[in-house]
Amino acid sequence: MDSKTALAFAPDLTPEPARDAADLLVDALAALGVEYVFGVPGGAIEPLYNALARGARRGGPQAIVARNEQGAAYMADGYARETGRLGVCIATSGPGATNLITGVACAYDNNVPMLVITGQPPIKNFGKGALQESSCTGINTVAMFRPCTRYNSLVSHADQLPTKLFNALMQAQRAPSGPSHLSIPVDILRQPLPDDVELPDFAGLLRRAPMLVDLPASRELARLLFSAREPVWLIGDGCGDAVDELMQLVQLTDGCFITTPDGKGLVNPRHPRYRGVFGFGGHASAAALLQDEPDLIVALGTGFGEFNSGGWSTALLNGRLVHVDDSDENLMRSPMARLHVRGHIKSVCDQLIALLASSEHGRDAQLLPFLHPQVARQAYEAMVDSPRALRGDSSPVKPQRLVATLGERCPPQTRFVADAGNSAAWAVHYLAPQDRRADRVAGHAPGGRERRGRHPSWLRVTMDFAPMGWAIGSAVGIAMANRRCPVVCLTGDGSYLMNGQEITVAAELGLPVLYVVLNDGALGMVKHGQRLAGAEPIGFQLPKVDFAAMAAAMGIPGHVVRSSQDLDALDFHALLSRRGPTLLDVRIDGEEVPPMNLRMKTLGTAR
């Protein structure tokens, strides 16, 4: 072996550089079990990427490079929603930070735990017109993040970092959860750590906090349930770790249940006691149930925003309501409620089960009758607005038919994520995955065996702050969080034109994501909203785009679906089994009106 060959096989003895403040940050994330950090590199955040590279060699978090910082925030959002753990996104100073804001605001309004790190030029250059300066003497990004974060601070000295980081992590994960933001100058990130630095117990943040429950209020709710004839349970997105207990309560109380649009993915929509979605994209059966004035409505894990409350419907928000939540912010939105129960939702449910089951007045929990899958399917289809459209053969494809086919043909463990606009409306109303456990009483989502400490939702939609293109990046985060479950992203052509480049991240990482583009050459919700309101038809047109050809240019398989026959010919098992994304460019019938009347009503433009 010559000297050059020997040198090539010699171990790398280059010593690791001294640990700096950026290493502290990465070590804290590793202690919390963070697997991935989503972002886009830049000069002001470079020391953090160096620390991530060093940490990854020790098994720490991996850096995932998005194509735009907004996409990075959406990926962190999807990861957090799937795992229940912290999502992390990072960006450089100036425009890198401002690109994050929409994704961070979405996480804030949907209570998604997130740590947001942005860079700054060196402190000594503040006020001098430094490139991309975004401190108080430049474009003040710290001020911009203030309204959409739970914690927000500039780290001006290295010895502030341990305390501020600990506070940011704690605030992000306590109720109500949401994003925390730290803006850190590049020279602070580079500062060496003193040997005697005292570090907080970051791993201690993983230990469960006491599951506090308002016991007197829980006992009062149990008393109300004893006397209720047929209570209605409304399940919101915040019930992810309490679904099994809620199904027990439905059975113990001889009740029935409905969901918010973002809560639908936590349940089996073919459960015999399910009456549909109440709110945006919802079902007439759920609205009728509340309009019949049940003597007791128990709503859990929801903040009653526009889409989740049926436009603040008095059929829901009235004196028959009991509101259960762990967030005072959510409870404040139902001042008319008969009773508020403050506490961890699963713990409240456990307390109610104990009270109801132990009482001699409690009802017998008889097993529900066997429900054949075909009967369950027919029962769900009876809820929807246009059941005939689910089975028809047409060209172009009816969106109802597309969504029904995805539910039936995709594996039971599939995660669906639907973008803002018509995609969400069609999915909320019509999507009902084929559940091999449809004959069972359990109400939670298909693919429940893949959950990590909570029930991940099989359907993700974003409600209160609903940016177009959110689902495209979120699908990447979901797929990164759970490699055992394929992901289907329903998005419109308008949303895809905004954020479609993030599909290349899924390709780079070999993620099994099926991107389904509802292509009608229009901003669909705008178009139909204008028509329903009798407004001027303006600004909704989009150019005709071959999205399958765009995917092919990126090295991604794409298929154009022009008819129901094309749709039926697809091998969904093969599409969702491959290592990497696939795109379906589905030419849908743009004249089909989505279930969006609630949106028109709250805008005051319903006719």
Side-chain angles (χ1 to χ4, degrees):
M1 182 183 297
D2 60 29
S3 59
K4 289 184 178 179
T5 304
L7 184 61
F9 284 91
D12 184 3
L13 301 178
T14 304
E16 288 278 359
R19 286 169 46 76
D20 55 26
D23 289 298
L24 183 155
L25 204 159
V26 171
D27 288 348
L29 298 181
L32 288 170
V34 172
E35 299 168 290
Y36 307 105
V37 173
F38 303 92
V40 178
I45 202 73
E46 180 182 307
L48 184 50
Y49 273 91
N50 291 337
L52 284 167
R54 293 191 290 270
R57 291 195 287 268
R58 301 189 298 270
Q62 298 179 42
I64 306 298
V65 179
R67 305 305 177 244
N68 181 281
E69 291 87 355
Q70 186 179 120
Y74 296 155
M75 291 173 196
D77 177 307
Y79 176 86
R81 292 183 196 235
E82 176 67 17
T83 63
R85 298 202 295 268
L86 188 75
V88 182
C89 55
I90 61 178
T92 193
S93 60
T98 58
N99 282 347
L100 281 175
I101 288 178
T102 297
V104 173
C106 178
Y108 177 83
D109 228 16
N110 289 274
N111 301 126
V112 177
M114 186 181 289
L115 178 66
V116 184
I117 304 293
T118 62
Q120 290 281 2
I123 285 182
K124 66 180 182 178
N125 293 338
F126 282 14
K128 297 179 180 180
L131 178 67
Q132 299 181 342
E133 184 188 342
S134 45
S135 70
C136 61
T137 54
I139 301 299
N140 192 345
T141 54
V142 177
M144 291 181 186
F145 278 103
R146 187 170 297 121
C148 58
T149 50
R150 302 293 176 192
Y151 183 91
N152 179 49
S153 185
L154 172 74
V155 179
S156 60
H157 296 78
D159 55 7
Q160 293 176 351
L161 181 59
T163 299
K164 287 190 172 183
L165 178 59
F166 187 85
N167 291 341
L169 293 168
M170 179 178 287
Q171 290 285 349
Q173 298 175 94
R174 65 182 294 184
S177 57
S180 286
H181 171 235
L182 292 177
S183 184
I184 312 177
V186 65
D187 51 333
I188 301 299
L189 287 169
R190 288 197 185 108
Q191 284 199 16
L193 287 176
D195 293 335
D196 59 349
V197 64
E198 292 189 16
L199 300 180
D201 180 14
F202 292 111
L205 292 169
L206 288 172
R207 301 186 193 110
R208 284 186 172 272
M211 299 304 183
L212 301 178
V213 175
D214 184 342
L215 292 178
S218 296
R219 294 189 186 103
E220 175 62 13
L221 175 53
R223 187 188 68 78
L224 294 173
L225 289 166
F226 285 145
S227 58
R229 204 166 18 88
E230 187 178 343
V232 174
W233 298 82
L234 173 64
I235 297 175
D237 186 46
C239 298
D241 60 353
V243 178
D244 288 336
E245 291 76 12
L246 278 167
M247 292 303 104
Q248 285 183 257
L249 286 167
V250 169
Q251 198 161 311
L252 277 169
T253 59
D254 196 24
C256 53
F257 70 98
I258 57 180
T259 66
T260 61
D262 53 356
K264 178 184 179 182
L266 295 172
V267 306
N268 178 357
R270 294 177 174 156
H271 191 288
R273 293 191 185 272
Y274 184 51
R275 300 296 180 266
V277 171
F278 183 76
F280 176 72
H283 302 98
S285 54
L289 184 67
L290 296 183
Q291 288 163 0
D292 285 344
E293 299 188 355
D295 51 357
L296 188 64
I297 306 166
V298 185
L300 309 96
T302 179
F304 295 124
E306 175 186 329
F307 280 7
N308 284 337
S309 65
W312 306 286
S313 168
T314 55
L316 171 63
L317 299 175
N318 56 56
R320 299 186 302 278
L321 173 70
V322 174
H323 191 183
V324 182
D325 212 288
D326 61 357
S327 166
D328 286 332
E329 286 187 15
N330 283 350
L331 294 174
M332 289 166 63
R333 295 184 179 180
S334 58
M336 74 300 293
R338 179 175 184 175
L339 176 67
H340 290 104
V341 182
R342 171 74 157 86
H344 179 253
I345 293 173
K346 183 179 185 302
S347 299
V348 171
C349 291
D350 287 336
Q351 183 74 17
L352 290 173
I353 290 169
L355 291 168
L356 293 171
S358 64
S359 170
E360 61 183 16
H361 301 293
R363 299 180 177 91
D364 293 332
Q366 299 293 328
L367 286 176
L368 292 173
F370 179 90
L371 201 61
H372 189 277
Q374 180 71 7
V375 176
R377 182 176 69 86
Q378 292 171 349
Y380 184 78
E381 291 182 4
M383 292 184 195
V384 305
D385 290 348
S386 303
R388 293 180 64 181
L390 302 177
R391 302 289 157 212
D393 293 327
S394 62
S395 177
V397 181
K398 300 286 186 187
Q400 302 95 321
R401 171 76 149 80
L402 168 65
V403 171
T405 299
L406 290 171
E408 292 178 357
R409 299 278 301 281
C410 294
Q413 72 272 24
T414 301
R415 306 288 191 250
F416 294 89
V417 56
D419 231 327
N422 287 357
S423 300
W426 292 123
V428 165
H429 194 87
Y430 288 99
L431 189 61
Q434 188 63 43
D435 186 358
R436 293 171 185 164
R437 298 170 300 122
D439 58 331
R440 291 175 53 182
V441 174
H444 58 267
R449 293 177 184 173
E450 285 78 19
R451 61 185 176 269
R452 300 186 189 181
R454 66 197 296 269
H455 291 289
S457 177
W458 58 261
L459 172 62
R460 283 293 181 196
V461 292
T462 184
M463 290 284 100
D464 297 338
F465 198 87
M468 293 174 63
W470 160 83
I472 298 168
S474 183
V476 172
I478 293 169
M480 291 296 294
N482 193 344
R483 296 285 189 136
R484 292 171 292 178
C485 296
V487 180
V488 173
C489 173
L490 283 162
T491 187
D493 46 353
S495 292
Y496 195 81
L497 286 170
M498 288 185 181
N499 289 280
Q501 70 279 355
E502 303 301 342
I503 193 174
T504 62
V505 181
E508 179 186 6
L509 300 173
L511 301 177
V513 182
L514 180 63
Y515 286 93
V516 182
V517 181
L518 281 65
N519 188 354
D520 60 356
L523 298 172
M525 185 157 283
V526 175
K527 178 179 78 172
H528 289 293
Q530 289 171 352
R531 290 181 178 180
L532 292 171
E536 294 287 347
I538 181 173
F540 63 80
Q541 301 94 339
L542 292 174
K544 295 184 182 299
V545 178
D546 187 334
F547 293 103
M550 284 179 62
M554 299 173 180
I556 297 166
H559 305 271
V560 176
V561 178
R562 294 185 171 87
S563 66
S564 299
Q565 290 79 12
D566 289 346
L567 183 64
D568 292 339
L570 293 171
D571 184 342
F572 283 92
H573 176 76
L575 296 178
L576 292 168
S577 297
R578 67 176 301 272
R579 286 183 55 83
T582 305
L583 183 138
L584 301 184
D585 179 350
V586 185
R587 309 297 169 84
I588 64 166
D589 184 350
E591 296 306 304
E592 289 293 311
V593 182
M596 58 179 288
N597 285 336
L598 169 64
R599 180 63 175 154
M600 305 304 299
K601 184 184 84 171
T602 53
L603 285 173
T605 55
R607 302 178 72 190

